[in-house]
Amino acid sequence: MNIIVTGGAGFIASHVVDRLIDAGHHVAVIDNLSTGVKENLNPKASFYNLDIKDDLSEVFNKERPEAVLHFAAQINVRESIKDPVRDAKENILGSLNVFENCQKFNVKRVVFSSTGGAIYGDAKIIPTPEDYPASPLSPYGVAKMAVEKYLSLYPFESLILRFANVYGPRQIAKGEAGVVAIFSENIARQKEVVINGDGNQTRDFVFVSDVAEACLKGLFFSGLYNIGTQKETSVNELFELMKTKGAEYIFGEAQKEVQRSCLDISKAKKELGWSPKFSLDQGLKLTVDWLNEVE
C-alpha cells in the first residue's frame, strides 16, 4: 500500500516505518523534526519536512495514501501541563488537519497512536482494560482522548492503539515517557539518577519493536486496543535492573503523575494475534547496547 506516517522521524514511528518498508509498503514520512531526527529516517521512505498543522494537501495529492499512521504529537506530559494551549494546538488541531486531509483524499484507514497510562489516569483496575472509564490527569491525556473521539466521526476505518510506556533504541532522554532513556544516559555518563517521589510509582514498559509489530499486525483491523506487557514495574525496580557498578541515585520531588499504570492486553492477544516478545531485561540490554554505540 501507499502509506503516510506522520512523525516518522521520531522514536516509535521510525521503527514502524522500517517495519512497513520491510513488509513491502511504499511509505512517505511527514515530520517537522522538532523531536524527530533525520538519522532515524529510512532512506527508502519519501520525506516531507512539514508540521502537521501546515497545508498537507500537496503531499496527500502526490502520495495518494491508502492508509495513514498518525504518530506526530507533542509528547511531553509535563510540557502539556505547563502549556496546555500549545499541547492542544499540536495534538488536537494538528490531528484534525491530518484527518481532514484523509477524508478529502479518500484514505481508507487511519491508525492513531494514543496513550494508555495518560488516558486511564489512576485506574482502580490493574491491569486496566480498554473499557475502563477514561480519567486523564494531564492536558496530554485529555488531548489524546479528544482525538480518539474526533476520529470516530470520520468515515474511514480507524484503529486506535493505546500504548503503555514505550522504550528502546532512538528514544530521546527527555520527558516522562523517556524514563528508560534518561536512566540509561545518566548511568552511561556516570551521572546521578534522580527518582521522582519515593520511586514506588509503576509503569508498564513495552519494547519499541513489539509496538512496531503491533502496528503492522493491526494495519487491517479497526477498533481500540491496549498495547503493553500487562506487567507492572516500579521506577525503583527499573533502576535496580539498569544500574551498573557505581551507579548512584537520589529521590527528588514528587511529580503530579499517575501512580500505577499497567495495561490489560488480552484483547490485542485474542483479536490481533499480537503479544510482546521482548522481556524487560532483553529490551533494556538492547537499549543500553544501542546507546553505547551512539555515544
Side-chain angles (χ1 to χ4, degrees), residues 180-250:
V180 170
I182 293 168
F183 281 11
S184 298
E185 187 175 281
N186 285 358
I187 290 169
R189 295 179 179 177
Q190 298 183 318
K191 291 172 62 178
E192 197 170 56
V193 171
V194 178
I195 296 175
N196 295 326
D198 60 12
N200 290 323
Q201 60 270 36
T202 65
R203 296 293 182 265
D204 182 344
F205 294 102
V206 59
F207 191 57
V208 68
S209 294
D210 283 327
V211 169
E213 177 68 14
C215 293
L216 197 66
K217 278 185 174 291
L219 195 55
F220 297 101
F221 286 81
S222 302
L224 170 64
Y225 296 90
N226 286 335
I227 301 297
T229 66
Q230 205 163 305
K231 295 178 181 177
E232 261 187 295
T233 303
S234 74
V235 175
N236 289 332
E237 290 169 333
L238 178 69
F239 177 77
E240 288 299 315
L241 285 171
M242 297 182 68
K243 76 175 182 181
T244 56
K245 186 176 180 180
E248 298 182 357
Y249 70 94
I250 59 171

Side-chain angles (χ1 to χ4, degrees), residues 1-9 13-14 17-18 20-21 25-33 38 40-50 58-60 62-65:
M1 291 196 297
N2 289 340
I3 298 174
I4 285 178
V5 179
T6 70
S14 64
V17 169
D18 291 346
L20 291 171
I21 288 174
H25 299 289
H26 170 74
V27 180
V29 168
I30 296 173
D31 199 305
N32 67 358
L33 302 179
K38 280 190 174 180
N40 290 347
L41 286 168
N42 191 303
K44 294 182 180 178
S46 304
F47 173 57
Y48 299 90
N49 191 340
L50 291 168
E58 285 190 20
V59 177
F60 274 75
K62 181 179 178 181
E63 296 293 336
R64 293 290 171 174

Side-chain angles (χ1 to χ4, degrees), residues 22-283:
D22 288 345
H25 299 289
H26 170 74
V27 180
V29 168
I30 296 173
D31 199 305
N32 67 358
L33 302 179
S34 60
T35 54
V37 292
K38 280 190 174 180
E39 288 76 14
N40 290 347
L41 286 168
N42 191 303
K44 294 182 180 178
S46 304
F47 173 57
Y48 299 90
N49 191 340
L50 291 168
D51 190 288
I52 54 171
K53 301 188 301 297
D54 293 338
D55 183 354
L56 305 177
S57 58
E58 285 190 20
V59 177
F60 274 75
N61 188 48
K62 181 179 178 181
E63 296 293 336
R64 293 290 171 174
E66 296 156 84
V68 170
L69 280 70
H70 179 38
F71 286 83
Q74 191 293 116
I75 59 173
N76 194 309
V77 173
R78 295 190 182 115
E79 285 300 317
S80 79
I81 295 170
K82 291 179 185 176
D83 192 350
V85 173
R86 174 179 170 248
D87 185 80
K89 286 178 179 178
E90 297 289 337
N91 292 351
I92 298 177
L93 297 183
S95 296
L96 288 178
N97 189 39
V98 172
F99 299 160
E100 286 292 303
N101 278 277
C102 289
Q103 180 171 257
K104 179 180 178 182
F105 290 94
N106 299 312
V107 171
K108 295 176 181 177
R109 56 180 53 251
V110 170
V111 178
F112 175 53
S113 162
S114 191
T115 172
I119 275 186
Y120 298 122
D122 276 314
K124 291 182 171 58
I125 298 175
I126 301 287
T128 310
E130 288 87 349
D131 59 2
Y132 187 85
S135 185
L137 300 179
S138 65
Y140 172 81
V142 170
K144 287 288 190 180
M145 183 176 68
V147 174
E148 288 187 5
K149 298 297 184 184
Y150 273 115
L151 190 53
S152 68
L153 303 176
Y154 286 91
F156 39 74
E157 295 291 318
S158 61
L159 173 72
I160 297 168
L161 298 179
R162 287 179 175 172
F163 298 141
N165 274 62
V166 188
Y167 71 97
R170 304 178 191 169
Q171 188 175 35
I172 56 175
K174 65 179 182 179
E176 185 206 16
V179 63
V180 170
I182 293 168
F183 281 11
S184 298
E185 187 175 281
N186 285 358
I187 290 169
R189 295 179 179 177
Q190 298 183 318
K191 291 172 62 178
E192 197 170 56
V193 171
V194 178
I195 296 175
N196 295 326
D198 60 12
N200 290 323
Q201 60 270 36
T202 65
R203 296 293 182 265
D204 182 344
F205 294 102
V206 59
F207 191 57
V208 68
S209 294
D210 283 327
V211 169
E213 177 68 14
C215 293
L216 197 66
K217 278 185 174 291
L219 195 55
F220 297 101
F221 286 81
S222 302
L224 170 64
Y225 296 90
N226 286 335
I227 301 297
T229 66
Q230 205 163 305
K231 295 178 181 177
E232 261 187 295
T233 303
S234 74
V235 175
N236 289 332
E237 290 169 333
L238 178 69
F239 177 77
E240 288 299 315
L241 285 171
M242 297 182 68
K243 76 175 182 181
T244 56
K245 186 176 180 180
E248 298 182 357
Y249 70 94
I250 59 171
F251 290 109
E253 184 179 349
Q255 303 291 321
K256 183 182 178 182
E257 61 182 330
V258 173
Q259 292 305 299
R260 293 183 69 193
S261 178
C262 182
L263 305 185
D264 185 331
I265 59 171
S266 54
K267 185 181 176 186
K269 285 182 175 180
K270 180 180 178 181
E271 297 183 13
L272 300 183
W274 172 88
S275 59
K277 295 182 174 66
F278 292 85
S279 69
L280 185 54
D281 276 334
Q282 291 171 321

